[in-house]
Amino acid sequence: MLTSFMEGLLCCLTSKSSNVVVPVETSELADGYEFVEVKPGRVLRVRHIIPDRQVVEEPTGQGGSISCKRKITVYRNGQLFIENLGDQASAELKNCQNGETDPNSIVEVELTDCGNSSPPATIPEARSKSVTAGTDGSAETGAGREAPAAGQTGQSQQLRKRRRKPKRTVVIDCERKISACKGTHADVALFFIHGVGGSLDIWGSQLDYFSKLGYEVITPDLAGHGASSAPQIAAAYTFYALAEDMRLIFKRYARKRNILIGHSYGVSFCTFLAHEYPEQVHKMVMINGGGPTALEPSLCSIFNLPTCVLHCLSPLLAWSFLKAGFARQGAKEKQLLKDNNAFNVSSFVLRAMMSGQYWPEGDEVYHAELTVPILLVHGMHDKFVPIEEDQRMAEILLMGFLKVLEDGSHMVMMECPEAVNTLLHEFILWQPATPPPPKKESKTRPETAKVQSDNTKATSDPSQVRPATARQTSSNGNTEEKPDSKAKK
């Protein structure tokens, strides 16, 4: 603490940063580590593991297709109306891989209100009918009900006029095939992206687990984090600069079916990639990523203080991160932070990262346009991201699974690695239920129908029936009465 204070005081006197960031020394360069120059002078450390495995090609026809049809309307008052047009997606999503139903893990929304000006409705049809509702909220749809009052009619007409003038309308109509991604499939790659203050080392348990299962895993260090280079200009740490880095890393290592796993701020980069490359991103996982809101730096934040002051407060910030990021604050959690190189960035990088989180495009509409299946993992004791934000995200997404871990906090993948690995693996192997094959009877029915029609024609033709009857009467004298007696019975 005293050393940090003296270094910060020297920084203020000399007007220079006391902690120039250099790549962290590592002795495991041969163990899947690479250094990629995304731009001149901008080098990122990437861990790329290609395990020795028996490659099995993906069988044709495996997996299931989900119809992604929805209409997103944004009105001038800030109200967002989402109408899911396909019923197949909601039915398929509730079927897990083992056939069990877990309705609590999926939340679907039809109407959301950004400005909280009116309560949300449950289904689009009910909302369209409730436009003519009275003061009690019931829709006047029946012919036998009383006519609304003059004031209510005028109010309903005003609402109708407002809804006829949407500010923006987005229509999504596509068919998405989703299949199980196994470690033996050569066209599958897993990308792990950390958040502010982290490094690729925080994914150590996940990298070991999935690489042993045969998956190809890729995880980079963001600029200024871990062993990546740290430019001494704040513009190098804006969202757009970091997103461009992740785009280049993704294009370099991407396979046919890619699964993105992001944590905290890293979720925004995963969302950006899934929106830019919808055909290549097969599935996505959001771990404590927050709500579907546009990023904007806070004006009243401790990270707006000068760099030297933040450096003096670095021990306090580290203690606060330990307190808010872990459900328990013991020696084990402190050792996890130290071993995994978490929250070990300079004050300059930390300040630039927090002030550079400006992404106005990443609003609710941007997230609602995603058609990729998404698993949301939330730690119950997370003090950085409230659970309401992840619930809101699950409502906006077309295909979202929300799972809450009671023993985890913000760094849930380090606190509960076994539970997180199990959730991720089950989601990676998940695929929609394939429709049953058509019955064989349907193919033979037309032939049977033709035979029946031929028989009816044969019996209804007098020229064919009468000679046979005549032969019977000539040989057996009283045979004509027997059919009549049977018909009567």
Side-chain angles (χ1 to χ4, degrees), residues 37-43:
E37 187 176 15
V38 292
K39 292 180 181 179
R42 191 180 181 96
V43 181

Side-chain angles (χ1 to χ4, degrees), residues 444-454:
T444 58
R445 283 177 182 174
E447 298 177 0
T448 307
K450 291 181 180 179
V451 174
Q452 292 178 355
S453 62
D454 295 340

Side-chain angles (χ1 to χ4, degrees), residues 55-108:
V55 178
V56 177
E57 296 182 359
E58 180 71 13
T60 58
Q62 187 176 3
S65 298
I66 290 183
S67 177
C68 303
K69 296 181 180 180
R70 67 181 351 192
K71 182 179 180 181
I72 307 169
T73 306
V74 183
Y75 294 95
R76 300 185 183 277
N77 60 352
Q79 194 175 28
L80 180 66
F81 183 85
I82 302 177
E83 182 179 5
N84 290 332
L85 304 177
D87 298 333
Q88 183 181 1
S90 59
E92 293 290 348
L93 282 175
K94 294 182 181 180
N95 294 326
C96 300
Q97 184 185 3
N98 55 2
E100 297 178 357
T101 302
D102 191 3
N104 296 328
S105 63
I106 303 165
V107 184
E108 295 185 5

Side-chain angles (χ1 to χ4, degrees), residues 424-435:
L424 296 184
H425 194 207
E426 290 180 353
F427 178 68
I428 291 173
L429 295 178
W430 171 81
Q431 65 181 13
T434 55

Side-chain angles (χ1 to χ4, degrees), residues 39-321:
K39 292 180 181 179
R42 191 180 181 96
V43 181
L44 302 183
R45 181 182 67 158
V46 180
R47 189 175 183 186
H48 182 205
I49 303 177
I50 305 179
D52 297 332
R53 61 190 174 186
Q54 182 181 0
V55 178
V56 177
E57 296 182 359
E58 180 71 13
T60 58
Q62 187 176 3
S65 298
I66 290 183
S67 177
C68 303
K69 296 181 180 180
R70 67 181 351 192
K71 182 179 180 181
I72 307 169
T73 306
V74 183
Y75 294 95
R76 300 185 183 277
N77 60 352
Q79 194 175 28
L80 180 66
F81 183 85
I82 302 177
E83 182 179 5
N84 290 332
L85 304 177
D87 298 333
Q88 183 181 1
S90 59
E92 293 290 348
L93 282 175
K94 294 182 181 180
N95 294 326
C96 300
Q97 184 185 3
N98 55 2
E100 297 178 357
T101 302
D102 191 3
N104 296 328
S105 63
I106 303 165
V107 184
E108 295 185 5
V109 68
E110 306 299 341
L111 178 66
T112 58
D113 188 2
C114 300
N116 296 328
S117 59
S118 62
T122 55
I123 55 176
E125 291 77 10
R127 182 62 185 176
S128 60
K129 294 179 181 179
S130 63
V131 173
T132 59
T135 56
D136 58 347
S138 60
E140 300 291 341
T141 57
R145 297 185 181 181
E146 297 180 359
Q152 297 176 359
T153 305
Q155 184 179 3
S156 63
Q157 291 179 356
Q158 292 179 359
L159 292 175
R160 286 179 178 177
K161 290 180 180 179
R162 291 177 184 176
R163 299 193 181 283
R164 289 175 182 174
K165 297 180 180 180
K167 182 179 179 181
R168 180 186 176 191
T169 302
V170 179
V171 178
I172 300 174
D173 187 1
C174 64
E175 199 78 19
R176 193 173 188 93
K177 182 179 179 181
I178 304 171
S179 58
C181 301
K182 300 180 181 180
T184 55
H185 296 163
D187 62 340
V188 177
L190 276 59
F191 288 82
F192 295 84
I193 303 178
H194 66 82
V196 178
S199 69
L200 61 83
D201 298 319
I202 68 174
W203 302 106
S205 299
Q206 286 71 42
L207 298 181
D208 295 340
Y209 178 81
F210 286 102
S211 61
K212 291 179 181 178
L213 292 177
Y215 290 95
E216 180 180 356
V217 294
I218 303 99
T219 174
D221 275 333
L222 296 179
H225 295 70
S228 296
S229 61
Q232 289 301 299
I233 54 174
Y237 303 98
T238 62
F239 172 82
Y240 296 102
L242 298 173
E244 186 63 25
D245 294 344
M246 295 300 102
R247 183 207 296 269
L248 296 175
I249 295 296
F250 179 77
K251 292 174 65 176
R252 180 185 178 93
Y253 297 100
R255 301 296 182 183
K256 183 179 179 180
R257 294 183 296 168
N258 303 280
I259 302 174
L260 307 180
I261 300 100
H263 172 251
S264 192
Y265 191 31
V267 170
S268 299
F269 303 118
C270 293
T271 304
F272 170 77
L273 294 176
H275 202 276
E276 292 292 319
Y277 304 98
E279 299 298 330
Q280 291 182 270
V281 177
H282 196 68
K283 297 177 183 179
M284 190 168 69
V285 179
M286 299 179 174
I287 302 178
N288 293 325
T293 56
L295 296 181
E296 185 176 357
S298 177
L299 298 178
C300 301
S301 174
I302 190 175
F303 298 103
N304 292 331
L305 296 174
T307 303
C308 55
V309 177
L310 289 178
H311 185 68
C312 296
L313 300 176
S314 57
L316 179 61
L317 295 176
W319 178 83
S320 301
F321 180 80

